[in-house]
Amino acid sequence: MHTTKKLLIYNQFNKNILRIIRERSTAAATVCPYAVSEENEINVEQMKHEFAKRATAAVEATTNYLPYSEVPGPRPLPIIGNTWRFAPLIGQFKISEIATMTFLLNQVYGKIAKVSGLMGRPDLLFVYDCDEIEKCYRNEGTTPFRPSMPSLVKYKSELRKDFFGDLAGVVGVHGEPWREFRSRVQKPVLQLKTVRRYVQPLEHVTDDFLKRCTTRLLDENSELPDDFANEIHKWALECIGLVALDTRLGCLDGDLDPKSEPQQIIDAAQFALRNIAILELKAPYWRWFPSISPMWKRYVRNMDYFVEVCMKYISKATERLKAGSEGALNGEPSLIERVLKEEKDEKLATVMALDLMLVGIDTISMATSSILYQLATRPEEQQKIYEELKRNIPDPNMPLTYQLLDQNKYTKAFIKEVLRLYSTVIGNGRTLQKDTVICGYKIPKGVQVVFPNLVVGTDDNFVSDATEFKPERWIKSEDNDMNLHKYASLPYGTGARACLGRRFADMEMQVLLAKLVRNYKLEFNHEPLKYCITFMFAPAGNLKFKMTPRGE
């Protein structure tokens, strides 16, 4: 491509950054907050058309694929590459604006875009075509490589190799070690009969959470406090502690002391996950000079604390099992008890619990924050959920069952629609294990490919009326003929490396909505919140929801 055209795209990219950041919508809007505007200059459309035309021609030729060097993308500068875009003062993006960048790359460059020259890490290749994304997933083999958390990889494989050894888990682990570990734990974690047993225990946790909200947290205006996001973290941690550690941690017992174990676990999880973006996207000095990096040293302390907590509770579960005492499920074998019985390996159970805790606490709490915010700002949809729950659960004190939850089709559809339009995880990814043709370009082995959920899930090419909030699109019926590409919304990933705890996560959120909406009306009477990235995409600001008991 001619230099003048490259500069044209580069300049347009910079202009669009400023315009979209300035004009982007709030999260409560009924359209996608980053929907592409018709105000785009015609030269950008011409460039996108040219890229698509050339890639199509290459595919038709079958033997004449375009080289990787021709993949469009923002131009890296000498020495500092594209890392400068995330640098203080001179950079174009804060870490919280990564979502904006993913939309801009699609808007300016089309179906495929390359961000090269990232200091200390491979190139990032963004793919915005669901058909191409499907091909990548279907051809990934039995041991796909997910480019997740190099900081966690370093911790597990180098710093604490003495502990993890050959049992490094499923997060930040690849190849045969990953496949072997997952094959040993996935049956009890994903088996439906195991998941179903946790409905009532999780209902008890949620009852305690709602009781805490109404008796200790509501102010004179029936509003929840500024730090309600931390309360959601407590609920999420209590749920995950029940599943992963077979115990109630006490997160909902009164006001937690900052030095209490539950609050320290919450703080450790938030730090570990919310600083991943900084550790990975900014210049990774922690890799080269770990002894003088304050963030890396704190990250290591947090991880050590996690390991210590998990070891303590798994040891208690082992002792309880040997003594014949009942665990969290009162006589039914719990998840941890099944793993300990079948594998007879306390360390394996500890590492599995660690991974569930690491990935689960912040992701579930952030997704729940988003779901509750959308619920509170969408009264019509909330009323539909309430009417459905009232039909299926006529007595609000009726104990929940898996069958009752499954009947709440609109409630489940609402959750899916929030996770489509405001995907908590903005993208999934893979590191290519062999040369691969994507969008007509021959992409070499080792490139990190990103599949941006947040963008393709709001693209009219793959979802009908993509920027509109329509939970009904997820409910199968003869009248529902909406286009919804099955790879357009993958909040838990897909394939062999799909999220191990996805069934538990879905059930926890369904239980919370069933108990909350059946008994209370939720409102948000403040200025709309914007969505931004910490580690995930979620509303930023105080979740001062108003909770009002429903009159029957």
Side-chain angles (χ1 to χ4, degrees), residues 393-426:
I393 311 174
D395 180 356
N397 298 313
M398 180 188 301
L400 294 179
T401 64
Y402 190 86
Q403 289 72 23
L404 275 176
L405 292 176
D406 196 48
Q407 291 174 23
N408 300 323
K409 305 297 183 184
Y410 189 85
T411 304
K412 293 194 292 183
F414 182 89
I415 293 173
K416 289 181 178 179
E417 187 70 346
V418 174
L419 296 182
R420 177 191 70 85
L421 199 54
Y422 305 95
S423 179
T424 309
V425 178
I426 66 169

Side-chain angles (χ1 to χ4, degrees), residues 167-435:
L167 292 174
V170 294
V171 181
V173 184
H174 309 284
E176 282 303 311
W178 165 83
R179 189 197 62 77
E180 197 272 339
F181 188 95
R182 179 159 177 135
S183 67
R184 295 173 66 180
V185 301
Q186 70 177 358
K187 183 178 178 180
V189 175
L190 294 175
Q191 202 166 45
L192 195 54
K193 68 178 182 180
T194 303
V195 177
R196 286 174 172 171
R197 290 173 180 151
Y198 281 87
V199 173
Q200 289 194 12
L202 290 172
E203 180 183 13
H204 295 155
V205 172
T206 303
D207 284 337
D208 291 346
F209 172 64
L210 294 177
K211 182 178 179 181
R212 174 174 170 77
C213 289
T214 55
T215 61
R216 299 183 66 92
L217 301 180
L218 292 180
D219 63 14
E220 63 276 7
N221 298 316
S222 296
E223 287 191 332
L224 293 161
D226 290 349
D227 65 345
F228 185 60
N230 188 54
E231 299 295 329
I232 295 174
H233 270 81
K234 293 177 184 179
W235 166 79
L237 174 54
E238 195 73 8
C239 289
I240 294 169
L242 191 71
V243 172
L245 299 176
D246 201 20
T247 191
R248 288 291 299 262
L249 294 172
C251 301
L252 306 174
D253 298 342
D255 296 322
L256 293 182
D257 186 283
K259 294 183 179 180
S260 67
E261 181 178 84
Q263 189 60 55
Q264 286 189 67
I265 296 174
I266 293 171
D267 294 342
Q270 288 182 338
F271 181 87
L273 285 174
R274 296 187 179 194
N275 287 285
I276 286 290
I278 296 173
L279 287 169
E280 307 306 342
L281 290 177
K282 290 191 174 182
Y285 298 115
W286 56 271
R287 294 189 191 179
W288 307 314
F289 312 107
S291 62
I292 61 173
S293 170
M295 180 170 290
W296 172 248
K297 288 193 286 188
R298 186 176 171 188
Y299 176 83
V300 170
R301 288 198 302 271
N302 275 275
M303 289 303 303
D304 286 343
Y305 182 72
F306 263 121
V307 172
E308 178 186 332
V309 167
C310 290
M311 286 179 65
K312 181 178 78 172
Y313 284 104
I314 296 300
S315 294
K316 287 184 177 180
T318 302
E319 293 171 5
R320 194 167 57 241
L321 192 60
K322 290 177 180 177
S325 301
E326 293 184 348
L329 298 188
N330 297 322
E332 294 283 351
S334 68
L335 172 62
I336 292 302
E337 286 172 343
R338 286 197 59 188
V339 172
L340 288 171
K341 281 181 178 179
E342 293 174 13
E343 297 297 331
K344 296 179 175 58
D345 190 332
E346 194 171 291
K347 182 178 286 189
L348 181 138
T350 299
V351 175
M352 183 194 74
L354 175 67
D355 281 354
L356 289 174
M357 298 272 289
L358 270 178
V359 176
I361 297 172
D362 218 32
T363 50
I364 291 174
S365 60
M366 301 278 275
T368 300
S369 295
S370 182
I371 289 166
L372 294 183
Y373 177 67
Q374 294 301 322
L375 184 76
T377 54
R378 298 182 184 277
E380 291 183 10
E381 286 82 359
Q382 184 177 166
Q383 182 63 25
K384 289 180 181 179
I385 293 175
Y386 171 64
E387 290 170 359
E388 175 182 74
L389 292 171
K390 194 173 180 181
R391 285 195 306 272
N392 295 332
I393 311 174
D395 180 356
N397 298 313
M398 180 188 301
L400 294 179
T401 64
Y402 190 86
Q403 289 72 23
L404 275 176
L405 292 176
D406 196 48
Q407 291 174 23
N408 300 323
K409 305 297 183 184
Y410 189 85
T411 304
K412 293 194 292 183
F414 182 89
I415 293 173
K416 289 181 178 179
E417 187 70 346
V418 174
L419 296 182
R420 177 191 70 85
L421 199 54
Y422 305 95
S423 179
T424 309
V425 178
I426 66 169
N428 299 313
R430 294 290 187 266
T431 297
L432 296 180
Q433 299 302 289
K434 60 183 178 180
D435 293 354

Side-chain angles (χ1 to χ4, degrees), residues 107-175:
Q107 183 179 348
V108 176
Y109 301 112
K111 295 195 297 184
I112 188 169
K114 174 178 64 178
V115 180
S116 57
L118 295 173
M119 193 179 298
R121 66 170 301 141
D123 294 352
L124 294 178
L125 184 74
F126 292 81
V127 178
Y128 299 93
D129 185 313
C130 285
D131 293 329
E132 294 290 332
I133 292 171
E134 181 175 3
K135 290 177 188 176
C136 290
Y137 276 121
R138 291 191 181 279
N139 295 322
E140 64 183 5
T142 57
T143 56
F145 192 108
R146 183 170 62 189
S148 59
M149 307 182 190
S151 49
L152 183 59
V153 173
K154 183 179 179 68
Y155 177 82
K156 285 184 172 183
S157 63
E158 296 180 27
L159 217 62
R160 292 301 309 275
K161 189 176 181 179
D162 60 314
F163 174 78
F164 291 96
D166 296 329
L167 292 174
V170 294
V171 181
V173 184
H174 309 284

